[in-house]
Amino acid sequence: MSATTLERNNKGTEKFSSNNEQQTTDAKIKVKNLDLFYGEKQALYQVSLDIKEKEVTALIGPSGCGKSTFLRTLNRMNDLIDGVKINGEIVIDNENIYNSSDVIKLRTRVGMVFQKPNLFPMSIFDNVAYGPRMQGIKNKKALNKIVEESLRGAAIWDEVKDRLKSSALGLSGGQQQRVCIARAIAMKPDVILMDEPTSALDPISTLKVEELIAQMKKDYTIVIVTHNMQQAARVSDKTAFFLNGEIIEYDETDHIFSMPKDQRTEDYVTGRFG
Amino acid sequence: MSATTLERNNKGTEKFSSNNEQQTTDAKIKVKNLDLFYGEKQALYQVSLDIKEKEVTALIGPSGCGKSTFLRTLNRMNDLIDGVKINGEIVIDNENIYNSSDVIKLRTRVGMVFQKPNLFPMSIFDNVAYGPRMQGIKNKKALNKIVEESLRGAAIWDEVKDRLKSSALGLSGGQQQRVCIARAIAMKPDVILMDEPTSALDPISTLKVEELIAQMKKDYTIVIVTHNMQQAARVSDKTAFFLNGEIIEYDETDHIFSMPKDQRTEDYVTGRFG
Amino acid sequence: MRKFKDNFMLGLLWFSAFLTVAVLVVIVGYIFFKGFRLINFDFIFGDYSPVGHGGIWPMIITTIYTIVISLIIATPIGILAAVYLQEYAKQGRLVRVIRFATESLTGIPSIIYGLFGAVFFVTTLKLGMSIIAASLTLTIIVLPVIIRTTEEALKTVPLSYREGSLALGTTKLQTLYKVILPSAMPGILSGIILSMGRIVGESAAIFLTAGTVAAMPESIFSSARTLTVHSYLVTQESGDIELAAAVGIVLIVIILVLNLSATFISKKLNKADY
Amino acid sequence: MPSPSNENQIVDMKKSNKLKYFFESASEKLFLICAMLSVISLLLIIGFVFYKGSHPFVAEGYSFIDFIFGMEWVPSEDKFGILPMIVASIFSTIGALVIGVPIGLFTAIFLAEIAPKRVAKIISPAVQLLAGIPSVLYGVFGLAIIVPMLQNNFGLAKGQSLLAVIIVLAIMMLPTIVTVAETAIRAVPKTYREGSLALGASPIGTIFKVVVPAAKSGIMAAIVLGLGRAIGETMAVILVAGNSLILPTSLTDSVRPLTTNIALEMGYAFGTHQEMLFATGIVLFSFILILNFVLAKISSKGGK
Amino acid sequence: GDSNDNETESSGTGTDTVSISGSTSVGPLAEKLAEKYKEKQSNTNIEINQIGSSAGITNAISGVSQIGMSSRDLKEEEASELTETVIAYDGIVVVTHPSNKVKDLTMEEVKQIFTGEITNWNQLGGEDMEIVVVSREDGSGSRDAFQEIVGYSSGELIRNSIIASGNGNIKTTVATNKHAVGFISFEYIDDSIATLKINGVEATAENVLNQQYSLSRPFLFVHKDGNFTEAGQEFIDYILSPDGQKIVSEAGAIPVK
Ligand SMILES: Nc1ncnc2c1ncn2[C@@H]1O[C@H](COP(=O)(O)OP(=O)(O)OP(=O)(O)O)[C@@H](O)[C@H]1O
Ligand SMILES: Nc1ncnc2c1ncn2[C@@H]1O[C@H](COP(=O)(O)OP(=O)(O)OP(=O)(O)O)[C@@H](O)[C@H]1O
Ligand SMILES: [Mg+2]
Ligand SMILES: [Mg+2]
């Protein structure tokens, strides 16, 4: 099963464009021949990739290679940028997300944590309760519960439990990022996208978040961009290596790190320790 | 020589407050009994630390422990925040920087790279040339030279050399951060403060920057905040471990990582790999 | 040299601010000095009489009517228009046309608005000379101010807030109302305050559309005289500067009260203000 | 970890987004309508002014060239030339810009960047207060203080002059420019300041090299709005301009800008005279459009 | 017309509204008349809008107002649609700064001043200083009347004259400039300016009535016959009654009879 997926994707990276591959039915997210342009500038080239449910997929690659761009196509955050054009298809739960018009539903199902913490200028509580409230949950008790669970889940509860009502912007960078994670968790999404979620965290928080990811894997499908090879190695089941907007290699994480097929992948993953 | 420094600092970390320690004459930066308050909230407690010239000092510790706060006292960036109060003294080149009123001179000598890239909304070239221009360098050729050298130094030259005149804000996060480093280098400062400079960088760029740091050590005194233990281990000569606004331990990097004296330090540095 | 330039610019800044404040003091001082003798209970709360200095209570009420009605109409339209321009419209022709139109509206002399209002609202729409006709005319006058200032305020709201909110599966509308508008509140408010100033200070456009009836308006369909129109007529015809200044004092107090309450309201609304 | 009831609640919520999309698209249309309102207003006003103002040239055989370049304005003798007023408008606008914009911007910068918080908290609202003082009172102030001052200091027979107009307009522009620009400058992210200061730039250098350019769009808005106030202003100008029908050759000549001409005579005008005042409005309009165009050009150039 | 009248009557429940708009010179007088009239006739509500003669005439024609006030004569097109009533006369007086030594002018000298033939007060026996002429705007009723009686045309008016809008502005301008000369209505005379004799005759209401002093003009009420109510007619009747004319003279204007 996973072998099929892999094969398909390894082919995909060689960018042949015949579309007659079979669909694997258990893939949560299926990306096929995705091109993305920022105006004239192409940022993704024929990206194809299947992501299995309840697995953690890591995206690695050098700066500017298109990891964030790709990640943001999965919940259509790129829609916000003027002049972005997309070819190809992305299917989540057998539904082409670029055909379906319900972006809102998509985004409630596909949560996201950004590279830079982006808390709103509200209290910590209001930040975490923001999503649920917008879904119509008004009940005070239910909200309290969601907020506490989410903050605990993001390993930040103890630090902020006494100041839930004070501004979230008074927190340090690392604290803020963990509240961002809590905010995403509060939506109880199916899929969680994380764009270098721990790049602003210290190792202890990072560890907690990584543990959290491992635990969330039971319920959620997770796609994570990271620069940290060890993190990729520790948390992910599959790893995709991007270079200049293409997927060079996509495989079981173990394979990618121990016996990459592509020389460039090897250079990259070993460069770290070289 | 380095032994004296160490001894003194190990004592310092135990926070005895007798002030009759001898000054080591070769310390570039001497911090003594530094307290810092954000309004009512104390963020640093009796921090004392000597930083030797042409060495790399790493500051590590969990999120919110005061690393950034401490770093920013060294070029008085905390002056910008309302309600910050400071006790204690910081001496750079035998001059108490909080007595001397020439903050500008201080900051030209003590450069800084921030946690989040903060390029100005100008072209890449103008960003890097900003500092030198402010120092009065008008000569086109000289500026070109400085900009190129600095960008090369920050391992970003090849990626941007064709678009020097276009807006710096169009770059990816990692690219932006490297331009920020170039911008700091362009000032040819004595001391460079770096607040998690590589947290937004991919491993290859990180490696380049780390190499750069190793190379710059010949000329500059460097203080770097990092969450990455390996980075601390790779690049720094000394490491200070912060916890809750205090220095718990300050020593040769090797010692900190291989045989920390304090249990908390050990927990922290090994937690990473635990 | 740089020091000198800096000090020179600093001097200019101080000088300009001093000049502005001096102008403020002199003008307000002049108005108070000229008018304070007439201020008493009967003058403010008395009914108007063509003999002597008369009471101005009907004009105060009329002024408040025009402010409230114009703002009730113009504020939502202006804010929503700005929202359209900043948040919805593709930056293309239509936006350029709208922006050009609003900017051109700012420069049209109020007498032309007055004539237009007299033909369009008073005669064509058969509103007659009335407070409502004047308020509608004023709405057109202040729309550009509100639109432009709101647009500027919206521009300053970081993209990351929008992303953060949308990624939580909220609609644009929810994002707008929960995150974007609250963050833009201070800017919007200054636009509203400027508009109030414009409304209060307007004469030509009002007396051509609301007339100059110096009696308590029975409804918003009555013809009536605002304070500014009163002071205009008084200067124009009888040259009674004391009376004009006394009316000015009342106007200043009204504006002061309105500004303070607007600031207060925005503080209440703006969650960012912890 | 997630409690079932909450989860169900959210899952339930996730089903029905139809309504949201309806509101979403309805609101977008509403917003568009709001935005179009200003365009419609402008078109109505332009249509109105053009309809009225073009009549003499279209139907009554007056020459538009003579109108624009004519030196004589004697409505009761059928002479309609507005060159002196065009010149007066240009001079007074430029003059007010030259004085008002720098002072206004510098004050805004001072309030946003230099002034102690407490001082700014007092001055800013006070300056906004200036915006609310009716223009008539500015006129009265101009007539009672500025005009005699010019008269006495320059030994003039009359202080009603181009200079008086410029001073009054500059003063009237101040509140708009200061308020809008101050808001824009305050909105510049702190990271820019930090970045610049950390490079050893002086606070002043930081302000002029980083903060002000970053606030450029808001500053342009301030200038456009302030300029609008200056061009559109009539009541104060009438009182201090002198309204003489001569081509200004010095700052001390009394002048009649286009707006004043309209406001001054509209009350008594009828027939062709009134239409010619509307034609004056057309010229004023073109003047405003050209200015906006130039400003837009300048600001987009500055953007690169 | 008809439906309008019905509306007024039915909604009024006994209160009629007479809307009047027009000249800012006539306005203050009309307000005083209306105030006194209201004491007598409390069920009539009189609305007065001072928006300029032409606007008032336009309103009378378009029906926005029942009565228009004008301080200038009706032009042919206007006169064909409207009926006019002279409710009072307004005397016009030449004024200078109180410090000015010149107190008496001939009509010819007034003309020479306003047409720029005489440009210095010393030509008139005053101090050696430039004359600053202050006039009203072209089209203004006072100015039309003044020019017609003094005998010069708008084209002849000295070009660098200050043009002030309204009596009040002329008064303020003249009061703050010792070079200045201008003209205002009798109603606005006060201590801040000096009034001049013309041909040795003082500017008073009696002198206007006995035709010794020729600088005056009519104040007009105009209406369109189809748009004129009983209440309007009653108000005009009141103004022309002895009671009304007494108020006219108290206000500083000159009664019709
Ligand atoms: N809004 C945009 N407009 C134009 N080009 C863009 C935009 N955003 C990103 N790019 C470009 O697209 C490419 C991919 O950027 P992206 O942010 O996806 O890289 P990344 O792999 O996430 O890098 P990093 O590791 O530095 O975050 C880069 O060359 C970048 O300059
Ligand atoms: N401007 C401020 N006002 C008040 N408190 C602040 C401010 N900045 C930081 N703090 C607090 O001071 C403490 C130290 O913050 P600092 O940013 O120095 O931590 P840090 O060690 O750099 O953390 P991180 O690794 O997350 O960047 C934190 O508790 C933080 O909440
Ligand atoms: Mg990225
Ligand atoms: Mg930090």
Side-chain angles (χ1 to χ4, degrees):
Chain A
M1 169 191 69
S2 86
T4 346
T5 319
L6 274 174
E7 228 173 80
R8 203 181 73 65
N9 277 288
N10 286 335
K11 278 184 207 157
T13 58
E14 286 155 53
K15 280 201 293 162
F16 65 55
S17 46
S18 80
N19 273 344
N20 54 3
E21 314 132 50
Q22 311 165 234
Q23 302 264 332
T24 51
T25 43
D26 64 339
K28 176 94 180 164
I29 304 175
K30 293 174 204 134
V31 180
K32 209 158 41 179
N33 301 328
L34 186 74
D35 284 335
L36 186 144
F37 301 81
Y38 288 116
E40 293 297 288
K41 185 171 181 290
Q42 186 159 1
L44 294 179
Y45 297 84
Q46 291 286 315
V47 171
S48 296
L49 180 81
D50 276 17
I51 292 168
K52 251 187 69 187
E53 194 166 6
K54 295 184 185 167
E55 277 194 357
V56 177
T57 305
L59 312 178
I60 62 171
S63 178
C65 67
K67 304 179 297 296
S68 298
T69 302
F70 173 71
L71 196 74
R72 293 160 59 95
T73 58
L74 300 180
N75 65 346
R76 296 184 55 178
M77 285 307 284
N78 284 325
D79 288 15
L80 305 183
I81 299 169
D82 271 350
V84 165
K85 265 184 324 209
I86 285 176
N87 295 326
E89 63 181 39
I90 300 179
V91 176
I92 300 185
D93 288 337
N94 298 316
E95 195 183 358
N96 185 328
I97 63 167
Y98 278 90
N99 284 348
S100 140
S101 57
D102 199 345
V103 191
I104 297 171
K105 198 169 139 210
L106 171 68
R107 293 195 187 130
T108 54
R109 283 165 45 213
V110 182
M112 183 155 195
V113 175
F114 294 81
Q115 193 158 7
K116 297 177 190 174
N118 59 352
L119 291 178
F120 308 132
M122 307 170 178
S123 71
I124 296 167
F125 185 93
D126 289 343
N127 262 286
V128 180
Y130 181 87
R133 273 192 180 134
M134 286 303 180
Q135 293 305 317
I137 299 179
K138 298 246 159 59
N139 183 299
K140 193 87 211 171
K141 256 197 191 147
L143 285 175
N144 281 341
K145 191 151 179 259
I146 293 176
V147 170
E148 178 169 346
E149 278 172 0
S150 310
L151 287 170
R152 279 192 194 284
I156 180 92
W157 172 251
D158 290 331
E159 280 158 82
V160 300
K161 64 169 182 265
D162 300 324
R163 50 198 276 205
L164 289 177
K165 297 289 167 196
S166 60
S167 172
L169 303 187
L171 300 172
S172 82
Q175 294 169 323
Q176 286 194 28
Q177 187 63 308
R178 282 178 288 152
V179 177
C180 286
I181 295 175
R183 192 173 63 178
I185 295 173
M187 291 296 295
K188 309 201 165 76
D190 281 3
V191 180
I192 298 180
L193 311 176
M194 297 182 167
D195 195 345
E196 304 180 36
T198 60
S199 75
L201 302 196
D202 63 287
I204 290 175
S205 313
T206 301
L207 246 199
K208 283 185 194 160
V209 172
E210 287 179 7
E211 278 165 16
L212 183 70
I213 292 172
Q215 187 185 331
M216 291 193 310
K217 197 165 78 169
K218 286 173 219 140
D219 304 304
Y220 305 124
T221 308
I222 295 169
V223 186
I224 180 169
V225 171
T226 178
H227 276 139
N228 187 326
M229 293 304 125
Q230 293 148 304
Q231 182 166 73
R234 272 196 305 274
V235 302
S236 70
D237 302 302
K238 302 259 166 58
T239 295
F241 172 58
F242 279 72
L243 194 63
N244 297 329
E246 291 175 45
I247 293 189
I248 300 300
E249 192 161 353
Y250 176 44
D251 207 334
E252 303 276 348
T253 299
D254 293 347
H255 290 224
I256 290 279
F257 284 98
S258 54
M259 39 182 155
K261 297 202 176 69
D262 197 291
Q263 184 58 43
R264 291 165 295 182
T265 315
E266 184 166 351
D267 288 351
Y268 185 75
V269 297
T270 56
R272 179 77 175 117
F273 317 102
Chain B
M1 169 192 69
S2 85
T4 347
T5 318
L6 273 175
E7 229 173 79
R8 206 182 72 68
N9 277 288
N10 285 337
K11 277 184 207 158
T13 58
E14 285 153 51
K15 282 200 294 158
F16 63 55
S17 46
S18 80
N19 273 344
N20 53 2
E21 314 133 50
Q22 309 165 236
Q23 302 265 329
T24 52
T25 42
D26 62 341
K28 177 91 180 167
I29 304 174
K30 293 174 205 135
V31 180
K32 209 156 45 176
N33 301 328
L34 186 74
D35 284 335
L36 185 143
F37 301 81
Y38 289 115
E40 294 296 288
K41 183 170 181 292
Q42 186 159 0
L44 294 177
Y45 297 83
Q46 291 286 314
V47 171
S48 296
L49 181 79
D50 276 16
I51 293 168
K52 249 188 68 186
E53 194 165 7
K54 295 181 186 171
E55 275 194 357
V56 177
T57 305
L59 312 178
I60 62 171
S63 179
C65 66
K67 305 179 295 297
S68 298
T69 302
F70 173 70
L71 195 74
R72 293 161 59 95
T73 59
L74 299 181
N75 66 345
R76 296 184 56 178
M77 286 307 284
N78 284 326
D79 287 14
L80 304 182
I81 300 168
D82 273 349
V84 165
K85 264 185 325 212
I86 286 176
N87 295 328
E89 63 180 39
I90 300 179
V91 176
I92 299 185
D93 289 336
N94 299 317
E95 195 184 359
N96 185 331
I97 62 168
Y98 280 89
N99 284 349
S100 137
S101 59
D102 198 345
V103 191
I104 294 173
K105 198 171 138 216
L106 170 69
R107 293 193 187 133
T108 56
R109 283 165 46 213
V110 182
M112 182 155 197
V113 176
F114 293 82
Q115 193 160 5
K116 298 177 187 174
N118 59 351
L119 291 177
F120 307 133
M122 309 169 176
S123 73
I124 296 168
F125 184 94
D126 288 344
N127 262 287
V128 181
Y130 181 87
R133 275 193 180 131
M134 283 306 214
Q135 294 307 313
I137 299 180
K138 296 244 159 61
N139 183 300
K140 192 89 210 166
K141 255 197 193 149
L143 284 175
N144 281 340
K145 192 158 175 255
I146 293 176
V147 170
E148 177 169 348
E149 277 172 2
S150 311
L151 287 169
R152 279 191 194 283
I156 181 89
W157 172 250
D158 290 330
E159 279 158 82
V160 300
K161 64 169 181 264
D162 299 325
R163 50 198 277 204
L164 289 178
K165 296 289 167 196
S166 60
S167 170
L169 303 187
L171 300 172
S172 80
Q175 292 170 324
Q176 285 193 30
Q177 187 62 307
R178 282 177 288 152
V179 177
C180 285
I181 295 175
R183 192 173 64 176
I185 295 174
M187 292 296 295
K188 310 206 163 71
D190 279 4
V191 179
I192 298 181
L193 311 176
M194 298 182 167
D195 194 344
E196 304 181 36
T198 61
S199 74
L201 300 195
D202 64 287
I204 291 175
S205 312
T206 302
L207 247 199
K208 285 185 194 159
V209 173
E210 286 180 7
E211 278 166 15
L212 184 71
I213 292 172
Q215 186 185 330
M216 291 194 309
K217 198 165 75 169
K218 284 175 221 139
D219 305 306
Y220 305 124
T221 308
I222 295 170
V223 186
I224 181 170
V225 171
T226 179
H227 276 138
N228 188 324
M229 294 303 125
Q230 293 148 305
Q231 183 167 76
R234 273 197 304 274
V235 304
S236 70
D237 302 302
K238 302 259 167 56
T239 296
F241 172 58
F242 278 73
L243 194 65
N244 297 329
E246 292 175 45
I247 294 188
I248 300 300
E249 192 161 353
Y250 175 45
D251 207 334
E252 302 276 347
T253 300
D254 293 346
H255 290 226
I256 290 278
F257 284 98
S258 55
M259 39 184 157
K261 297 202 175 68
D262 196 289
Q263 184 59 40
R264 292 164 293 180
T265 314
E266 184 166 351
D267 289 351
Y268 185 77
V269 298
T270 56
R272 179 77 175 117
F273 317 103
Chain C
M1 186 57 207
R2 205 189 68 221
K3 264 254 161 70
F4 172 77
K5 223 163 112 190
D6 277 4
N7 285 334
F8 177 74
M9 291 313 284
L10 188 63
L12 268 184
L13 291 176
W14 274 94
F15 175 72
S16 300
F18 171 78
L19 217 61
T20 304
V21 172
V23 163
L24 176 81
V25 168
V26 170
I27 290 183
V28 174
Y30 172 77
I31 292 172
F32 270 81
F33 173 74
K34 274 284 175 187
F36 79 95
R37 263 174 246 119
L38 294 187
I39 303 282
N40 57 43
F41 187 84
D42 282 343
F43 176 72
I44 291 172
F45 296 103
D47 232 345
Y48 174 74
S49 150
V51 196
H53 292 297
I56 57 168
W57 187 238
M59 293 101 176
I60 293 179
I61 297 299
T62 306
T63 303
I64 292 172
Y65 267 134
T66 49
I67 296 172
V68 171
I69 299 172
S70 312
L71 285 184
I72 282 182
I73 304 170
T75 307
I77 294 180
I79 292 177
L80 297 187
V83 163
Y84 181 80
L85 292 176
Q86 275 301 316
E87 307 288 325
Y88 286 83
K90 290 248 152 42
Q91 303 298 317
R93 221 223 223 99
L94 181 67
V95 172
R96 278 207 302 277
V97 167
I98 295 174
R99 197 159 282 145
F100 192 74
T102 50
E103 258 157 41
S104 304
L105 280 175
T106 61
I108 297 175
S110 44
I111 183 89
I112 289 189
Y113 282 111
L115 293 166
F116 169 76
V119 168
F120 188 71
F121 295 117
V122 174
T123 313
T124 311
L125 297 187
K126 292 206 166 38
L127 292 170
M129 287 232 217
S130 57
I131 292 178
I132 183 78
S135 301
L136 289 170
T137 310
L138 286 167
T139 299
I140 300 181
I141 296 181
V142 297
L143 257 187
V145 180
I146 296 184
I147 292 178
R148 192 67 210 253
T149 42
T150 306
E151 267 196 83
E152 290 307 322
L154 290 174
K155 268 187 209 162
T156 63
V157 178
L159 180 67
S160 66
Y161 287 2
R162 294 178 177 87
E163 287 184 340
S165 175
L166 290 173
L168 291 168
T170 60
T171 65
K172 255 182 147 165
L173 212 54
Q174 289 173 318
T175 303
L176 195 64
Y177 146 85
K178 278 286 179 189
V179 177
I180 300 180
L181 287 181
S183 315
M185 212 29 133
I188 295 176
L189 197 78
S190 72
I192 292 176
I193 288 175
L194 279 178
S195 306
M196 279 196 301
R198 186 87 202 246
I199 294 170
V200 167
E202 190 51 63
S203 48
I206 297 187
F207 72 72
L208 288 172
T209 48
T212 67
V213 172
M216 185 62 80
E218 280 164 17
S219 73
I220 58 168
F221 296 100
S222 307
S223 187
R225 183 189 288 189
T226 63
L227 284 169
T228 303
V229 169
H230 189 49
S231 70
Y232 165 74
L233 286 175
V234 160
T235 352
Q236 197 87 332
E237 277 313 309
S238 59
D240 187 344
I241 289 180
E242 279 196 7
L243 179 50
V247 172
I249 296 175
V250 175
L251 277 171
I252 289 173
V253 171
I254 290 179
I255 295 163
L256 209 59
V257 170
L258 288 173
N259 284 7
L260 288 179
S261 33
T263 314
F264 179 77
I265 291 168
S266 100
K267 280 246 171 72
K268 286 261 142 175
L269 289 180
N270 187 4
K271 300 257 166 88
D273 246 41
Y274 273 90
Chain D
M1 173 191 64
S3 85
S5 68
N6 289 338
E7 199 170 27
N8 290 342
Q9 226 168 336
I10 286 190
V11 169
D12 277 352
M13 288 308 180
K14 286 177 186 175
K15 280 177 190 158
S16 59
N17 287 322
K18 275 227 173 75
L19 202 62
K20 283 186 178 172
Y21 282 107
F22 170 74
F23 279 125
E24 197 74 347
S25 67
S27 63
E28 180 169 352
K29 291 200 180 86
L30 175 71
F31 297 167
L32 175 62
I33 290 169
C34 289
M36 290 308 291
L37 270 180
S38 61
V39 179
I40 294 167
S41 314
L42 183 71
L43 288 180
L44 278 174
I45 293 175
I46 290 181
F48 169 69
V49 174
F50 270 75
Y51 171 72
K52 288 271 198 175
S54 59
H55 194 257
F57 310 107
V58 176
E60 296 165 36
Y62 288 89
S63 149
F64 194 66
I65 300 292
D66 289 351
F67 174 68
I68 300 281
F69 294 104
M71 295 291 294
E72 297 273 339
W73 176 270
V74 190
S76 50
E77 292 170 10
D78 226 24
K79 288 184 191 150
F80 300 104
I82 58 166
L83 188 62
M85 307 175 201
I86 295 179
V87 174
S89 278
I90 293 174
F91 283 176
S92 53
T93 307
I94 292 175
L97 272 179
V98 166
I99 299 182
V101 169
I103 294 182
L105 288 186
F106 284 178
T107 304
I109 293 170
F110 177 84
L111 292 177
E113 297 283 322
I114 310 257
K117 249 190 189 154
R118 250 191 263 140
V119 176
K121 269 211 168 111
I122 296 167
I123 297 182
S124 301
V127 170
Q128 289 179 355
L129 196 66
L130 270 179
I133 296 178
S135 45
V136 184
L137 289 179
Y138 281 100
V140 169
F141 171 77
L143 191 55
I145 305 283
I146 295 172
V147 165
M149 195 182 80
L150 295 176
Q151 231 159 263
N152 298 336
N153 287 349
F154 296 95
L156 305 174
K158 54 178 191 248
Q160 282 89 347
S161 58
L162 184 57
L163 188 57
V165 173
I166 289 174
I167 294 173
V168 168
L169 286 182
I171 291 176
M172 296 185 69
M173 286 166 75
L174 278 183
T176 312
I177 295 184
V178 172
T179 308
V180 179
E182 189 193 336
T183 316
I185 293 167
R186 281 193 193 282
V188 173
K190 210 171 76 187
T191 56
Y192 290 167
R193 292 184 187 91
E194 285 188 344
S196 173
L197 290 172
L199 289 168
S202 62
I204 296 284
T206 301
I207 289 169
F208 285 98
K209 288 285 189 309
V210 175
V211 178
V212 169
K216 199 189 65 212
S217 154
I219 288 175
M220 280 316 286
I223 294 174
V224 167
L225 290 176
L227 194 67
R229 181 95 211 238
I231 297 176
E233 186 45 53
T234 44
M235 293 313 169
V237 176
I238 283 185
L239 291 172
V240 299
N243 305 313
S244 301
L245 287 161
I246 50 175
L247 197 70
T249 52
S250 87
L251 280 173
T252 55
D253 281 345
S254 36
V255 292
R256 181 187 296 194
L258 292 164
T259 39
T260 331
N261 190 44
I262 303 173
L264 195 60
E265 298 191 349
M266 198 53 100
Y268 291 99
F270 65 97
T272 308
H273 181 190
Q274 197 183 49
E275 287 163 357
M276 282 300 188
L277 292 179
F278 279 104
T280 310
I282 297 180
V283 174
L284 188 62
F285 230 91
S286 321
F287 185 57
I288 293 161
L289 296 191
I290 291 169
L291 253 172
N292 277 347
F293 189 75
V294 170
L295 281 179
K297 268 270 133 60
I298 293 174
S299 74
S300 73
K301 233 197 200 138
K304 293 183 179 164
Chain E
D2 270 5
S3 63
N4 255 352
D5 288 354
N6 290 342
E7 236 173 72
T8 338
E9 270 156 43
S10 59
S11 71
T13 57
T15 322
D16 288 318
T17 296
V18 179
S19 59
I20 302 177
S21 66
S23 165
T24 49
S25 315
V26 188
L29 171 61
E31 278 187 355
K32 285 171 191 151
L33 287 163
E35 193 188 33
K36 283 282 179 317
Y37 183 63
K38 207 153 182 213
E39 288 169 12
K40 274 184 52 166
Q41 196 72 29
S42 59
N43 58 353
T44 305
N45 183 22
I46 295 176
E47 276 189 355
I48 293 166
N49 280 311
Q50 308 175 28
I51 55 178
S53 296
S54 290
I57 292 168
T58 310
N59 280 353
I61 295 175
S62 71
V64 170
S65 302
Q66 193 179 123
I67 298 175
M69 304 179 285
S70 174
S71 64
R72 63 162 171 82
D73 288 328
L74 295 184
K75 310 295 158 173
E76 272 167 44
E77 323 76 287
E78 296 166 352
S80 65
E81 296 208 51
L82 297 171
T83 311
E84 62 172 64
T85 314
V86 177
I87 60 152
Y89 288 97
D90 178 35
I92 300 170
V93 60
V94 177
V95 294
T96 60
H97 194 263
S99 72
N100 201 317
K101 291 204 192 75
V102 179
K103 295 295 178 199
D104 192 346
L105 292 174
T106 66
M107 198 61 105
E108 183 56 26
E109 283 168 338
V110 173
K111 178 180 168 181
Q112 285 171 328
I113 290 171
F114 278 84
T115 55
E117 277 172 58
I118 295 176
T119 55
N120 196 305
W121 286 107
N122 64 14
Q123 290 170 272
L124 300 163
E127 282 176 55
D128 175 18
M129 58 183 185
E130 198 183 320
I131 297 179
V132 170
V133 172
V134 186
S135 173
R136 291 285 303 277
E137 60 274 28
D138 205 336
S140 128
S142 322
R143 171 163 158 176
D144 276 1
F146 184 79
Q147 289 183 173
E148 202 176 310
I149 299 161
V150 173
Y152 69 98
S153 70
S154 280
E156 291 172 281
L157 174 67
I158 180 172
R159 297 294 295 281
N160 69 356
S161 57
I162 292 180
I163 308 294
S165 61
N167 287 294
N169 284 340
I170 292 202
K171 198 166 81 177
T172 316
T173 305
V174 172
T176 54
N177 188 340
K178 57 189 200 311
H179 302 253
V181 58
F183 54 87
I184 60 173
S185 293
F186 280 12
E187 294 161 69
Y188 299 107
I189 295 172
D190 67 22
D191 296 343
S192 66
I193 56 219
T195 61
L196 301 191
K197 293 179 191 163
I198 305 291
N199 297 333
V201 180
E202 201 143 350
T204 62
E206 295 109 73
N207 287 340
V208 172
L209 280 175
N210 64 26
Q211 303 199 330
Q212 295 238 320
Y213 187 87
S214 55
L215 283 173
S216 75
R217 55 160 174 171
F219 276 170
L220 301 178
F221 268 23
V222 299
H223 65 265
K224 199 170 174 176
D225 288 333
N227 183 34
F228 196 51
T229 62
E230 206 124 299
Q233 183 63 55
E234 278 167 19
F235 182 49
I236 290 185
D237 290 345
Y238 168 77
I239 295 173
L240 296 176
S241 73
D243 275 1
Q245 290 295 307
K246 198 170 143 235
I247 296 165
V248 167
S249 83
E250 278 168 10
I254 300 154
V256 196
K257 289 164 206 148

